[in-house]
Amino acid sequence: IMMAQRMCDSLCLVLGGLILYSTQVAVSGNIECHDHKHRCTDCTVWSDFGPIVQYVFAQQHAPSICYVNGGLSESCCYPPNITTSGWSIHGLWPSTQNRSDHNYCYDESAVFNTDVMEPLLPRMVAEWTNSKACEGSKFYCFWAHEWCKHGTLATSRSGEMDTQYKYFSAVLSLFTEERYNVAKLLEKENITACNCTYPFQQFEDALERALSVKPIIYCENITELENEKLLSQQSPRSTPRRRRGVQVVTSVYICLDTSYSAIRCLGEKDGNCDKSKDVYYISPYRGQALP
């Protein structure tokens, strides 16, 4: 186990700052999922999953995640070539007939083969980024975690995703499609990452209109001090200043059936956003200070 841990640490070594995200990084071999740091051992193996009934396509907004964690730093970063809006993939999580949650592993003995990822690496870095990777030992380990906990179950039930390469490639393709890419759905409704605020209901309604179903949205509140600072630096496009504070959207979950059509989420809880608060939509850091 110690050797496997050192192996993962060396594979995911951070050389400092955003250099972590260089697409020149190359590693070779397998990572044993149950040995690396990213908590595959935190879930219990479940053998009787039954057939897959839906997929949860989870996307995250790295600039917002970093902002609520203190801003860009050694412990929160994202690549310079992240998508224009800052949205990236978190994962594609199958829900089955017997388990609608995602807290159980299918196969803790599975391995994550880094060689398989090489052709996908430039896209993975930009589109499936890990804002916590700069802590060290989590660059490949985030992808390994997603593969171990969710990918192995997907490949055991789906002929279209029956290998590690096909799983990651299929998820990247879903992200490319305009119908499921959160950033593109919002842009169609003239909602852009502009360092400005929007009413939460406008944000939610835009996604619901585009998908024809309501997604699950997760937010983080901004403290009063941060709120004053942000509202004082709003762009002219901002909604009128309000006393009730703002929040940032950190994640959006879109549920899909086994034919990859959007559906109302089965067995999923509502998000945690406050419908009375505005959403502050942060744009990615591009060499200028964050507000």
Side-chain angles (χ1 to χ4, degrees):
I1 292 176
M2 291 295 291
M3 182 177 294
Q5 183 63 68
R6 287 195 298 271
M7 174 185 177
C8 188
D9 287 344
S10 64
L11 292 176
C12 308
L13 181 65
V14 179
L15 300 179
L18 296 180
I19 199 169
L20 163 73
Y21 290 101
S22 169
T23 56
Q24 303 301 312
V25 173
V27 296
S28 180
N30 295 335
I31 295 176
E32 295 184 13
C33 294
H34 61 290
D35 284 339
H36 68 62
K37 278 185 177 178
H38 208 82
R39 295 205 281 255
C40 272
T41 51
D42 282 4
C43 65
T44 304
V45 173
W46 186 270
S47 57
D48 186 23
F49 280 97
I52 291 174
V53 294
Q54 76 171 4
Y55 294 96
V56 177
F57 186 26
Q59 297 172 51
Q60 59 189 356
H61 192 242
S64 293
I65 291 171
C66 282
Y67 191 87
V68 298
N69 284 282
L72 286 173
S73 65
E74 292 181 0
S75 61
C76 197
C77 58
Y78 43 86
N81 63 332
I82 195 172
T83 56
T84 304
S85 64
W87 285 95
S88 63
I89 300 165
H90 187 169
L92 185 71
W93 309 333
S95 301
T96 68
Q97 188 177 63
N98 298 335
R99 293 240 59 106
S100 61
D101 58 20
H102 312 105
N103 298 321
Y104 291 84
C105 292
Y106 173 71
D107 182 8
E108 69 172 357
S109 66
V111 295
F112 175 80
N113 189 339
T114 58
D115 294 339
V116 168
M117 305 304 294
E118 188 172 352
L120 302 174
L121 192 57
R123 289 192 62 194
M124 290 292 293
V125 166
E127 299 172 31
W128 202 324
T129 190
N130 177 12
S131 59
K132 296 296 185 181
C134 30
E135 293 177 357
S137 75
K138 291 185 180 179
F139 183 38
Y140 277 88
C141 292
F142 174 48
W143 302 334
H145 167 76
E146 291 300 309
W147 165 248
C148 297
K149 191 171 181 182
H150 308 292
T152 55
L153 176 57
T155 57
S156 73
R157 301 293 195 276
S158 171
E160 295 177 3
M161 294 188 286
D162 60 359
T163 66
Q164 180 184 319
Y165 178 85
K166 288 182 181 179
Y167 171 74
F168 284 101
S169 181
V171 180
L172 288 170
S173 295
L174 283 174
F175 188 68
T176 302
E177 292 185 32
E178 288 193 9
R179 59 178 177 157
Y180 298 137
N181 184 295
V182 169
K184 293 177 181 178
L185 296 179
L186 292 171
E187 286 167 5
K188 284 183 178 179
E189 298 286 333
N190 296 315
I191 297 177
T192 59
C194 55
N195 288 334
C196 59
T197 58
Y198 297 92
F200 173 78
Q201 202 60 57
Q202 181 183 354
F203 202 93
E204 183 180 53
D205 289 349
L207 292 175
E208 186 172 0
R209 276 194 299 271
L211 295 166
S212 298
V213 294
K214 185 177 291 187
I216 298 175
I217 305 175
Y218 287 95
C219 298
E220 290 281 349
N221 288 320
I222 295 175
T223 67
E224 289 303 317
L225 180 62
E226 291 169 326
N227 183 22
E228 289 299 315
K229 186 177 180 181
L230 294 179
L231 290 174
S232 68
Q233 298 182 19
Q234 293 181 96
S235 78
R237 296 188 54 192
S238 302
T239 54
R241 177 171 174 168
R242 305 186 181 198
R243 294 180 180 275
R244 56 195 181 203
V246 293
Q247 59 197 331
V248 292
V249 171
T250 54
S251 301
V252 173
Y253 294 177
I254 300 172
C255 293
L256 311 173
D257 64 18
T258 53
S259 298
Y260 309 112
S261 296
I263 59 172
R264 185 170 180 82
C265 297
L266 308 172
E268 297 289 335
K269 298 178 180 179
D270 290 335
N272 65 346
C273 301
D274 186 335
K275 296 181 184 294
S276 70
K277 288 185 177 181
D278 288 348
V279 168
Y280 185 75
Y281 198 3
I282 301 173
S283 61
Y285 174 78
R286 302 290 181 191
Q288 298 178 351
L290 282 172

